[in-house]
Amino acid sequence: MATLDSVALFTGLGLSEHKARETLKNAALSTQLREAAIQAQHTLGSTIDKATGTLLYGLASRLRDSRRLSFLVSYIASKKIHTELQLSAALEYVRSHPLDPIDTVDFEQECGVGILVTPEQIEEAVEATINRHRPQLLVERYHFNMGLLMGEARAALKWADGKMIKHEVDMQVLHLLGPKTEADLEKKPKVAKARLEETERKTTKDVVENGEAQTLSLMEQLRGEALKFHKPGENFKTPGYVTTPHTMDLLKQHLEITGGQANNGICFLRFDDTNPEKEEAKFFTAIHDMVTWLGYTPYKVTYASDYFDQLYAWAVELIRRGQAYVCHQRGEELKGHNSLPSPWRDRPIEESLLLFEAMRKGKFSEGEATLRMKLVMEDGKMDPVAYRVKYTPHHRTGDKWCIYPTYDYTHCLCDSIEHITHSLCTKEFQARRSSYFWLCNALDVYCPVQWEYGRLNLHYAVVSKRKILQLVAAGAVRDWDDPRLFTLTALRRRGFPPEAINNFCARVGVTVAQTTMEPHLLEACVRDVLNDTAPRAMAVLEPLQVIITNFPAGKPLDIQVPNFPADETKGFHQVPFASTVFIEKTDFKEEPEPGYKRLARGQPVGLRHTGYVIELQQVVKGPSGCVECLEVTCRRADAGEKPKAFIHWVSQPLGCEIRLYERLFQHKNPEDPAEVPGGFLSDLNPASLQVVEAAVVDCSVALAKPFDKFQFERLGYFSVDPDSREGQLVFNRTVTLKEDPGKV
């Protein structure tokens, strides 16, 4: 009956019945929420509206000092605190003022109590902000960092509703710029960029001269919802952080060791190698290679296994403090969030110490015993496992250990050992934040802060390791580096430059919400980089032989081709031009349709870079009636009318293999059962890979090495595949060229 009463009480706050029942699984949270709801009902004398209920739930789930519950509930129930922003300020205030009594005047001032922000004030603040950035907005349009507008407007009106500010920004920007155009999704024009840089220099100069200079960090400049990191030593101001009588001394020691560094500090790359069954050295090497490839050099590379001795010693200490116990429930009994309580939870400390030592000495079989911690996690899961028995040799420590720590136990303690200030992970680890704080405090060691951010996903793709393994096992892709995947190693093999991936991530921004982007936005970033870095060459996918019957020389001519036609200062390469050339089959038609501009009878075309125009004289066909060869004559391009089109060609070429890639899946969300009822493996695109084995390429690329990149004129950007061998180059198409509706 008590459970039913609590469910009704919680649903009265606006929680769904499912959420209410999940909340009841967390004893500490449900107790605080029940007290808050009952007090609010007494104050209001009526039902609680959903907005107030949401604030009460936020209070109960984030407040760690229960002494302040009644005080804060009174402010929420009386509507003095009525926004999430005020609640966050209130929670921070009580965290940073742990001593009694609370100065209510100071508290109300810090929490914006009694301050009313009108829609007119919001409109005026947003208008003033947009006017300050109007020149850049008109140039950059929707490429402009709209988060900057939000930030400045919010700074002017600290207690304004964030949703109202965002709505007003969206409305005023739309009024100024009009709806988004196709160009707004692409790179801003270079001329506009130069003009923008000049505007930014002037604006910066004006700001500095007016004494308002403020350098924005990279995190602040990133689009999206930037993470608001705590300052070094102010871990306790982070939502959910639990303090103990030792916290401030530990933070002081931490600052002495780190020198207070955060931004512009150092960053570790640490591998979680706690499961010997899944860890192989090649995986860690590959990850390190990818991090290096992306342009980052870690301050230090560490492994969880570096600290196995210390982690074991702390596990023993945890048992001594009565915070952990050896359990004999089997794995299947521990699965899910409604597992039965362990009958060994209250076994004597000395008994657990002896049994844990026996685990270490190999006296239990796998699954026969685990070490569990005494806590309840955010998602209601009770007593997570800290150590388990595994007899698989470890790739770094060999057979020294037969018990291994879990991620839940290892993560926070390794962070503590390394004196990490900000530990970054993806959103699915948010449910482990309470165990992170609990474990450090249970051992009285320095407690860092875990920050969770959203995972970046792409449409028409799967990114989970488990599903990629299924694709490999099914033969749908070759391996983790198959260029149709979106793993980093696959993107590198396809030819994506690391700068493009970094630029794409910066444009998307760091958000706490999961983000799913269209692949063409990533491809646009790739084109931006390759346009400036990939030298031009010419290749023909479907060669058609063309014989020039009046070739102007007795031997091949040497043609100088610019590596970058838009900037000839970047040099040239030389290709031969002989009496026999090869063009694309699609660049010739016997019976052209209206509007066709390439080679046809009576319609000459120019050959790029040669200064010559060719004109059809005869079509040579084979026994089957297919066109085998064209005979043409040539003339200087300046000796007659300019042709309607110039086509690419090769002469005395190299044979090569070219792999053309399309999307791996047919639907935007292959993992969505509503969109793909048969599962993602049933959604494979049969045309995702086309291998052109008889392609030809000009000899300027003869010495190309794996991962060298080129723009094949009129075809796209291509990268040399590691499958290439001497005399047989293999190219992957990285991306196509930008579509130009003016080209035929």
Side-chain angles (χ1 to χ4, degrees):
M1 189 69 181
T3 298
L4 292 176
D5 289 344
S6 294
V7 169
L9 182 65
F10 292 170
T11 55
L13 299 177
L15 274 65
S16 66
E17 184 173 338
H18 174 74
K19 182 70 172 178
R21 293 188 181 278
E22 285 296 310
T23 301
L24 284 170
K25 295 174 185 177
N26 187 326
L29 171 59
S30 58
T31 297
Q32 285 208 140
L33 186 58
R34 189 181 296 108
E35 291 178 10
I38 292 171
Q39 180 183 337
Q41 283 182 339
H42 287 320
T43 302
L44 294 169
S46 61
T47 56
I48 299 172
D49 61 87
K50 187 172 182 179
T52 301
T54 300
L55 290 175
L56 291 173
Y57 184 85
L59 170 64
S61 61
R62 293 155 61 188
L63 180 66
R64 292 297 175 262
D65 186 350
S66 58
R67 296 176 305 145
R68 306 300 187 197
L69 182 67
S70 177
F71 174 77
L72 294 176
V73 169
S74 66
Y75 274 86
I76 294 173
S78 62
K79 306 290 186 180
K80 290 181 179 179
I81 290 178
H82 56 86
T83 68
E84 170 62 30
L85 191 63
Q86 287 181 298
L87 177 59
S88 296
L91 287 166
E92 181 173 340
Y93 188 93
V94 297
R95 271 196 301 273
S96 57
H97 295 76
L99 301 177
D100 287 321
I102 287 181
D103 184 337
T104 56
V105 174
D106 185 50
F107 171 81
E108 292 184 358
Q109 183 177 346
E110 290 296 312
C111 299
V113 173
I115 297 176
L116 176 64
V117 180
T118 66
E120 291 77 14
Q121 288 175 303
I122 293 175
E123 181 180 351
E124 290 171 2
V126 171
E127 184 177 358
T129 300
I130 287 178
N131 285 338
R132 278 196 299 275
H133 298 280
R134 188 183 182 91
Q136 296 99 312
L137 271 166
L138 292 173
V139 172
E140 281 197 309
R141 290 180 57 78
Y142 289 96
H143 290 296
F144 185 82
N145 180 3
M146 301 301 172
L148 184 61
L149 303 180
M150 285 282 297
E152 289 191 10
R154 169 151 271 172
L157 297 172
K158 180 178 179 181
W159 302 111
D161 186 286
K163 291 181 180 178
M164 291 180 66
I165 291 180
K166 184 180 186 306
H167 176 73
E168 188 63 32
V169 167
D170 291 343
M171 292 297 294
Q172 291 198 30
V173 168
L174 180 64
H175 179 74
L176 176 65
L177 303 179
K180 286 185 179 179
T181 65
E182 189 173 332
D184 290 324
L185 299 176
E186 298 291 344
K187 181 185 177 183
K188 50 195 174 187
K190 289 188 175 180
V191 173
K193 181 179 178 182
R195 197 182 308 140
L196 171 64
E197 288 173 352
E198 177 60 33
T199 301
E200 286 179 338
R201 280 195 297 270
K202 183 177 185 304
T203 302
T204 302
K205 180 173 179 289
D206 291 343
V207 170
V208 171
E209 288 177 352
N210 291 327
E212 300 171 359
Q214 181 179 1
T215 302
L216 296 177
S217 69
L218 175 61
M219 194 64 72
E220 290 170 316
Q221 293 178 49
L222 288 177
R223 292 192 173 98
E225 193 174 342
L227 293 174
K228 299 174 182 176
F229 285 160
H230 64 275
K231 295 178 182 178
E234 294 187 355
N235 304 32
F236 58 89
K237 292 188 176 181
T238 308
Y241 194 86
V242 181
T243 59
T244 73
H246 305 286
T247 296
M248 301 314 292
D249 286 339
L250 290 167
L251 288 174
K252 183 179 178 182
Q253 294 170 20
H254 161 71
L255 287 175
E256 290 172 354
I257 292 170
T258 63
Q261 282 186 299
N263 292 333
N264 300 317
I266 59 176
C267 185
F268 287 73
L269 172 63
R270 185 171 67 244
F271 294 112
D272 173 41
D273 58 344
T274 54
N275 188 344
E277 295 172 350
K278 294 184 178 180
E279 318 302 353
E280 290 185 49
K282 67 177 184 180
F283 293 131
F284 297 118
T285 301
I287 292 170
H288 193 191
D289 287 347
M290 287 300 97
V291 170
T292 303
W293 174 67
L294 286 171
Y296 181 70
T297 302
Y299 168 76
K300 189 177 182 181
V301 177
T302 60
Y303 297 81
S305 56
D306 293 339
Y307 311 116
F308 275 179
D309 289 318
Q310 178 63 72
L311 293 172
Y312 176 78
W314 274 338
V316 172
E317 179 63 22
L318 202 63
I319 298 171
R320 288 198 178 108
R321 295 183 177 212
Q323 300 289 4
Y325 62 96
V326 172
C327 175
H328 304 288
Q329 286 179 297
R330 292 285 178 171
E332 57 272 14
E333 298 178 79
L334 300 177
K335 289 181 179 177
H337 295 85
N338 297 309
S339 57
L340 294 173
S342 171
W344 293 280
R345 195 174 199 266
D346 297 319
R347 76 187 327 160
I349 289 174
E350 289 303 320
E351 188 176 317
S352 281
L353 286 170
L354 291 171
L355 290 170
F356 189 50
E357 177 67 10
M359 286 172 61
R360 188 182 70 82
K361 290 181 176 179
K363 295 183 179 180
F364 289 101
S365 60
E366 292 190 13
E368 193 177 353
T370 60
L371 182 69
R372 297 175 66 183
M373 299 176 282
K374 293 183 179 180
L375 79 146
V376 180
M377 300 173 74
E378 279 101 332
D379 57 5
K381 190 167 185 175
M382 188 173 183
D383 293 1
V385 172
Y387 269 85
R388 69 275 208 223
V389 177
K390 287 185 181 291
Y391 289 104
T392 304
H394 191 278
H395 77 103
R396 295 186 77 238
T397 61
D399 58 2
K400 177 181 177 180
W401 298 91
C402 64
I403 57 171
Y404 292 94
T406 61
Y407 177 89
D408 286 331
Y409 176 79
T410 305
H411 179 200
C412 62
L413 296 181
C414 287
D415 284 350
S416 180
I417 292 169
E418 294 176 352
H419 277 275
I420 302 301
T421 55
H422 306 86
S423 183
L424 309 182
C425 59
T426 45
K427 194 70 174 176
E428 61 264 32
F429 293 102
Q430 187 169 10
R432 292 173 162 91
R433 190 188 269 205
S434 63
S435 65
Y436 186 106
F437 294 148
W438 177 90
L439 185 51
C440 289
N441 289 333
L443 289 166
D444 283 325
V445 297
Y446 161 68
C447 183
V449 178
Q450 171 180 294
W451 286 88
E452 307 90 5
Y453 55 91
R455 184 187 291 272
L456 174 58
N457 295 318
L458 291 159
H459 287 307
Y460 301 100
V462 296
V463 294
S464 81
K465 289 184 287 188
R466 181 174 59 84
K467 290 179 178 176
I468 291 174
L469 283 171
Q470 288 179 255
L471 288 169
V472 174
V477 296
R478 291 172 56 179
D479 207 337
W480 287 79
D481 65 347
D482 189 298
R484 290 167 290 180
L485 296 173
F486 282 90
T487 61
L488 286 174
T489 184
L491 295 179
R492 179 174 67 166
R493 184 166 188 169
R494 185 158 172 171
F496 282 36
E499 303 93 328
I501 297 171
N502 290 331
N503 293 345
F504 172 68
C505 292
R507 288 186 186 182
V508 173
V510 178
T511 70
V512 294
Q514 180 167 296
T515 305
T516 305
M517 304 298 294
E518 293 288 348
H520 74 81
L521 298 175
L522 172 57
E523 291 171 358
C525 292
V526 172
R527 291 189 188 96
D528 288 347
V529 174
L530 292 181
N531 185 55
D532 295 331
T533 59
R536 278 36 170 185
M538 291 188 287
V540 174
L541 300 182
E542 296 182 274
L544 174 60
Q545 187 181 50
V546 176
I547 298 174
I548 304 172
T549 59
N550 65 334
F551 191 73
K555 62 178 182 178
L557 300 175
D558 291 330
I559 303 298
Q560 297 296 314
V561 178
N563 295 327
F564 296 88
D567 184 1
E568 295 189 354
T569 63
K570 292 185 176 181
F572 293 78
H573 61 272
Q574 186 172 287
V575 296
F577 175 39
S579 59
T580 298
V581 300
F582 297 88
I583 67 171
E584 293 283 0
K585 284 184 179 179
T586 54
D587 282 341
F588 165 73
K589 284 195 176 180
E590 283 190 275
E591 299 178 2
E593 67 274 8
Y596 184 77
K597 295 179 181 179
R598 284 160 281 168
L599 185 61
R601 192 169 297 282
Q603 181 167 284
V605 294
L607 297 179
R608 291 177 65 82
H609 308 298
T610 65
Y612 283 90
V613 173
I614 59 172
E615 187 164 1
L616 181 66
Q617 300 301 320
Q618 186 173 342
V619 179
V620 180
K621 296 185 178 181
S624 64
C626 294
V627 177
E628 290 187 346
C629 176
L630 303 178
E631 293 182 0
V632 303
T633 56
C634 72
R635 64 169 173 82
R636 295 289 305 175
D638 55 6
E641 186 178 349
K642 182 180 178 181
K644 292 182 179 179
F646 286 81
I647 62 174
H648 66 282
W649 55 276
V650 292
S651 188
Q652 299 180 348
L654 305 171
C656 68
E657 178 183 307
I658 292 183
R659 299 169 182 173
L660 306 175
Y661 298 99
E662 299 292 344
R663 290 169 177 160
L664 182 58
F665 297 99
Q666 301 180 70
H667 289 83
K668 181 178 282 191
N669 301 296
E671 299 171 89
D672 185 351
E675 200 167 328
V676 185
F680 71 99
L681 287 175
S682 70
D683 194 45
L684 294 169
N685 175 12
S688 63
L689 171 61
Q690 178 189 352
V691 179
V692 182
E693 295 180 338
V696 288
V697 63
D698 74 50
C699 59
S700 70
V701 304
L703 300 179
K705 305 180 297 298
F707 306 114
D708 283 353
K709 299 165 181 58
F710 302 92
Q711 184 197 109
F712 290 164
E713 297 195 29
R714 299 178 65 225
L715 296 180
Y717 294 99
F718 292 78
S719 179
V720 181
D721 190 86
D723 285 346
S724 297
R725 297 293 179 266
E726 186 175 352
Q728 181 59 33
L729 288 170
V730 178
F731 292 93
N732 295 318
R733 183 172 68 189
T734 305
V735 289
T736 58
L737 298 174
K738 289 184 180 179
E739 292 191 7
D740 184 349
K743 282 190 176 180
V744 180

